[in-house]
């Protein structure tokens, strides 16, 4: 097992390397450079300044050379400056953007899981009931609705029409400290989390339902029933424990999707998170920010895939990795 | 049909013969009520999109600054100046001056724009869904059949691509191809003109969505290639290409058809997201996604909600129907799933 973990962790390194190469290459193909922004806003900017800066930033060199320099500094933890925000790109992302994104995506995954498991189990236990059909139908809606449109509709309903929840941002300026601030932040998080969790909630419920149905038809459940165990015990102690296993891997696989959804959700709700930061920095040619954010998310995805595999092995003793 | 059978048929006798695979599939599909409903709605939407100029009395891009943000209305205003420009006085019950879905910020009829927008959104969906499935399927079948190093390299590449969040990559690629400073992108707009953003979106979505089909088909082919009929084909000297196209790919059709159906919906969702951010379909072309690009600002205007409501409902409805159809096809095509759900 230890050897397996070590091997998997070591495998992450070349994968990250490949990801960085792909993303850097694509970003470098995009025309325009960070100097454009300096140049257009500044009438005193001369051609000599331009050439000096191009040289200073190494932009006169081909992209693979720049990539090499970037890589050399990146492995030492230096991801270069953000020219737009006037601080190291890593600091900007980790200090100002990461916490917001973690709150939004983490809560969404949590809410999706907490709703999907009971809903799926219920749906499976009462197969072909009206509520089962209702849940299945709602699931279809969840996987079909565009996230950003759902967000806009939620804003209209709860912020514009009913006026019970804020339309965006993380908190109301001025409300600081204690219980009031906590309530304020919770109120801000409700709508974006609802929008972002819809897709995962729906697909996990579907998965949970079919997983549960499969397990309930297995022989050992029949044995449990035959020896006279209470239906409750059979359902929760015997069936659910096995049925929930495949969901663990899904959580790992959901992270890229949640993150892609976060770009749109953060835009709609004016939520200062990483998704929005990546979008803005790509548009503004502030590539160091996009690079550090994308690399971090990719690392997160790889780590969660590994964790999911390990959790799966821990939860199911039949699975052995060597 | 043999002579014996013809004779029997003339005699009015029933002939017992096996159902064809397609007939069987259709019969199973027919029993899936939601799938049938979904298929019907999709047909109606496609018809509406294709026949848009003959359904609507308006032009989709003609503005009418006297009727901005109009609520849905079926009454024709008495003041003729409010009518705006119509291509014809009426189409059946839809008279010039009626706005069944209301009007947008520039006084354009929303239903008309939804019909025309459907052309682009459905085109992008069908083209990208089909192309990504074919590309992924072909690559998957080829590398799985070739096995060895090629297979290892490709699978590794796909795993890597799947650990990068897709949306930022889509943003980078569309930004790249939409740029006026990349010579390749400029050449592209010279050739394609106004349709460029549509082609770019289709290409970009395809380029980043073939991995699903790749994995599915690769998995199928890995088990198929060990089967006796493939061995037999190899034994009679069939070429590699013939084995892939005539023996392997047709046997993965059930996976590919379902995948393509679901991908159409997925592609429509991606298009709408990109267009919403302003990186997808560019005006004056209209798609359901780019109709929404400024919708959020209008939420606070009186009657502004209709700008956001209707295009979104159509995206949602279309994707929902493709998911229904995909589900029905999965049940119908794959006997193993036949008795589930």
């Amino acid at each position: 097992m230890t050897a397996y973990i070590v091997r998997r962790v070591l495998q992450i390194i070349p994968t990250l390397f490949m990801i960085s190469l792909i993303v850097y290459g694509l970003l470098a193909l995009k025309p325009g450079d960070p100097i454009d922004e300096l140049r257009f806003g500044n009438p005193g900017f001369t051609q000599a300044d331009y050439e000096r800066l191009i040289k200073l930033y190494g932009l006169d060199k081909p992209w693979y050379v720049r990539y090499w320099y970037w890589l050399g500094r990146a492995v030492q933890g230096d991801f270069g400056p953000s020219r737009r925000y006037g601080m190291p790109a890593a600091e900007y992302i980790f200090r100002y953007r990461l916490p917001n994104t973690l709150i939004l995506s983490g809560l969404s995954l949590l809410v999706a899981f907490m709703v999907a498991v009971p809903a799926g189990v219920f749906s499976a236990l009462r197969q072909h009931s009206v509520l089962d059909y209702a849940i299945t139908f709602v699931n279809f809606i969840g996987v079909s609705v565009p996230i950003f449109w759902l967000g806009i509709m939620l804003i209209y309903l709860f912020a514009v029409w009913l006026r019970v929840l804020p339309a965006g941002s993380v908190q109301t300026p001025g409300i600081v400290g204690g219980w009031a601030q906590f309530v304020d932040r919770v109120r801000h998080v409700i709508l974006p989390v609802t929008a972002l969790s819809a897709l995962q909630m729906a697909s996990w419920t579907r998965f949970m339902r079919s997983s549960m149905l499969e397990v309930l038809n297995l022989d050992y459940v029949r044995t449990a029933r035959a020896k006279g165990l209470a239906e409750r015990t059979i359902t929760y102690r015997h069936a659910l424990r096995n049925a929930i296993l495949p969901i663990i891997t899904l959580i790992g696989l959901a992270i890229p999707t949640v993150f892609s959804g976060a770009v749109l959700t953060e835009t709609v709700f004016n939520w200062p998170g990483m998704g929005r930061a990546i979008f803005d920095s790509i548009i503004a040619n502030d590539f160091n920010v996009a690079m550090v954010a994308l690399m971090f998310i990719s690392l997160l995805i790889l780590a969660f895939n590994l964790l999911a595999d390990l959790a799966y092995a821990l939860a199911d003793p039949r699975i052995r990795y060597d | 049909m043999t002579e014996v059978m013809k004779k029997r048929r003339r005699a009015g006798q029933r002939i017992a013969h096996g159902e064809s695979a397609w007939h069987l599939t259709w019969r199973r599909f027919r029993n899936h009520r939601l799938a049938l409903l979904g298929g019907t709605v999709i047909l109606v939407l496609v018809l509406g999109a294709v026949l848009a100029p003959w359904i609507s009395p308006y032009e989709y891009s003609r503005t009418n600054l006297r009727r901005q943000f109009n609520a849905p209305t079926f009454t024709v205003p008495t003041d003729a100046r409010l009518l705006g420009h119509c291509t014809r006085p009426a189409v059946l019950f839809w008279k010039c001056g009626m706005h069944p879905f209301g009007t947008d910020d520039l006084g354009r009829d929303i239903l008309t724009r939804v019909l025309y927008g459907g052309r682009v959104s459905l085109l992008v969906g069908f083209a990208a869904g089909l192309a990504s499935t074919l590309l992924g399927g072909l690559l998957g079948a080829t590398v799985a059949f070739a096995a060895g190093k090629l297979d290892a390299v490709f699978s590794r590449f796909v795993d890597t691509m799947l650990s990068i969040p897709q949306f930022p990559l889509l943003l980078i690629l569309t930004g790249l191809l939409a740029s006026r400073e990349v010579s390749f992108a400029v050449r592209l707009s010279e050739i394609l003109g106004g349709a460029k953003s549509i082609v770019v979106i289709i290409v970009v979505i395809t380029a980043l969505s073939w991995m699903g089909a790749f994995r599915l088909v690769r998995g199928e082919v890995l088990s198929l290639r060990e089967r006796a009929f493939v061995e037999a084909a190899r034994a009679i000297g069939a070429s590699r290409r013939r084995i892939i196209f005539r023996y392997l790919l047709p046997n993965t059709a059930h996976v590919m058809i379902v995948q393509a159906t679901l991908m159409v919906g997925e592609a429509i969702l991606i298009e709408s997201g990109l267009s919403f951010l302003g990186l997808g379909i560019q005006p004056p072309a209209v798609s359901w996604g780019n109709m929404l690009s400024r919708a959020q600002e209008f939420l606070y205007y009186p009657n502004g909600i209709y700008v956001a409501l209707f295009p979104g409902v159509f995206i949602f409805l279309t994707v929902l129907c493709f998911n229904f159809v995909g589900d029905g096809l999965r049940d119908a095509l794959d006997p193993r799933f036949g008795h589930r759900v």
Side-chain angles (χ1 to χ4, degrees), chain B residues 128-140:
Chain B
L130 206 67
S132 66
T133 310
L134 285 179
L135 178 69
L138 204 60
L139 280 173

Side-chain angles (χ1 to χ4, degrees), chain A residues 22-42:
Chain A
I22 293 170
V23 177
Y24 199 97
L26 282 174
L27 281 172
L29 281 172
K30 195 170 173 282
D33 47 62
I35 297 166
D36 284 348
E37 209 161 292
L38 289 173
R39 188 162 44 156
F40 296 140
N42 187 352

